[in-house]
Amino acid sequence: MAPSPIPADSPFPLTPAALERAAGLRRMKAVALGLLIVLAVVFAVAFPLQRMHPAWGFVRAAAEGGMVGALADWFAVTALFRRPLGLPIPHTALIPEKKDQLGAALTEFVQENFLDSDVAREKVAGLQVARAAGGWLRERPHAVQAAGEIAMAARGAVAATDDDAVQDLLQQLMQRHMVEPDWSPTLAGVLEDVLAGRHHEKVVDLVVEHTGDWVATHPEMFLETVRRRSPEWSPDLVDRLLAERLHAETLKYLAGVRADRDHEARRSVDDWLARLAGNMRDDPATRASVERFKADLFADEQLRAWAGRAWITLRDSLLAALEDQDSDLHRALVDALVDLGVRLQEDPALQASVDGRARAAASYALSSYGPALTGVIEETVARWDGRQTADTLENLVGRDLQFIRINGSVVGALAGLAIHTLASLVF
């Protein structure tokens, strides 16, 4: 009957609230035990005195009934948590002995009355999160907070990844999607689209323009070329005149290419690109050349090393920009979150979509993961030690159970008094 403190190896945390409950339990046990002792003293005094005066018989009956009620309720309360007086009495120490059954019953109770109940289904059916989330998110301080949480989550996710594994994954993806496929049909299709849309003409214009500007500003190059290729006996004047003529004709030709959209040089470029596209589709030699170029490109160790450095640099730059509240990326993220909050509150279609997805997710979670969630209760209880569980639960609810002992003493005393009074009146 002595109060049991919280066990040091309790499966529950020894919080200040738990320690306060333990102290309250000890106090209530002392009150119940004190009341039993008082009743025993009263009985011991009244029993020999009842022959002297009939009134003491009523006192003795009340004390006797109170002791019986107190002992019976002490037995009932104690039998929940341990064997009374250590005796192997059947159907005692119910919590330690029936711990696993209690966990299974609690699991079934939670599943049937909470997760599978009509209330839970009504809550899911009426779930509306869009307007509430939008109202919170449209406030800029909240958006800044959310952006900070996103940055922390991103850093945590990246910290959990292995750089070597990421680089291996990137190489595998590159091998699968860039190295293994045949480039020739794709490049041929690109060239054909360029030709069909006349997109290459801008490149031709750029080349002709810069070539013409360079030729116009470097006439001496023509003179030097003519001098190197002309005979030694050729007069310098003839070389100079020939160089000037070549320079003028070259500028004239480039100007013609620049002005005439149907110039023969432009048609030659078109024909060459068309032949190249056709060869990449149909010519085995051209296709083999493209594949050799591709293989040499991706086999280059410098390219692989650059790709690895690029991933690390990109990762660090993105994380730093996300966490820096003065960066353009962070401000853009905050602005996007604020805009999302405004749309969640003002766009009925978006609200309906978000709420519908939230309901579907909640319903799926309840149906798919509800048994797993409630199963945690049974598994957790199964891992507890029976004695530890009984001692800890007694400290959790035992204080209120001591009122049963006190009430049993009072009810027993009244019952004993009533029985003695009725017997005296009858007999």
Side-chain angles (χ1 to χ4, degrees), residues 14 28 87 110 130 150 175 180 192 195 205 211 227 232 251 268 308 321 325 354 362 367 374 378 385 422:
L14 300 180
M28 291 306 301
L87 300 175
V110 172
I150 292 174
Q175 178 70 25
E180 292 179 0
E192 289 169 353
L195 286 170
D205 290 340
T211 303
R227 284 176 175 174
E232 294 182 358
L251 289 176
S268 298
Q325 295 190 2
V354 172
S367 60
T374 55
E378 185 173 358
D385 178 78
L422 181 61

Side-chain angles (χ1 to χ4, degrees), residues 80-217:
L80 289 173
F81 305 103
R82 63 186 61 83
R83 299 190 183 279
L85 301 177
L87 300 175
I89 304 173
H91 304 294
T92 58
L94 296 179
I95 290 178
E97 296 294 333
K98 304 293 184 180
K99 172 180 62 69
D100 294 340
Q101 293 90 323
L102 178 63
L106 184 58
T107 298
E108 184 178 354
F109 175 80
V110 172
Q111 179 69 36
E112 292 181 354
N113 294 278
F114 290 92
L115 299 184
D116 289 342
S117 66
D118 293 336
V119 175
R121 284 187 285 271
E122 290 175 2
K123 287 291 185 181
V124 171
L127 193 62
Q128 294 181 344
V129 299
R131 288 188 61 83
W136 185 85
L137 202 56
R138 72 183 301 171
E139 300 293 334
R140 195 166 189 84
H142 295 160
V144 172
Q145 178 183 349
E149 297 294 336
I150 292 174
M152 290 180 59
R155 179 166 291 279
V158 170
T161 60
D162 184 0
D163 287 339
D164 293 337
V166 172
Q167 293 181 17
D168 290 342
L169 176 62
L170 292 177
Q171 290 183 2
Q172 292 174 8
L173 293 175
M174 185 183 300
Q175 178 70 25
R176 181 181 305 170
H177 299 287
M178 299 187 68
V179 179
E180 292 179 0
D182 190 352
W183 278 17
S184 296
T186 302
L187 293 177
V190 171
L191 278 179
E192 289 169 353
D193 291 340
V194 168
L195 286 170
R198 311 303 297 169
H199 302 298
H200 64 292
E201 290 186 350
K202 295 181 179 179
V203 178
V204 174
D205 290 340
L206 185 65
V207 172
V208 171
E209 179 181 355
H210 284 278
T211 303
D213 293 342
W214 186 87
V215 170
T217 56

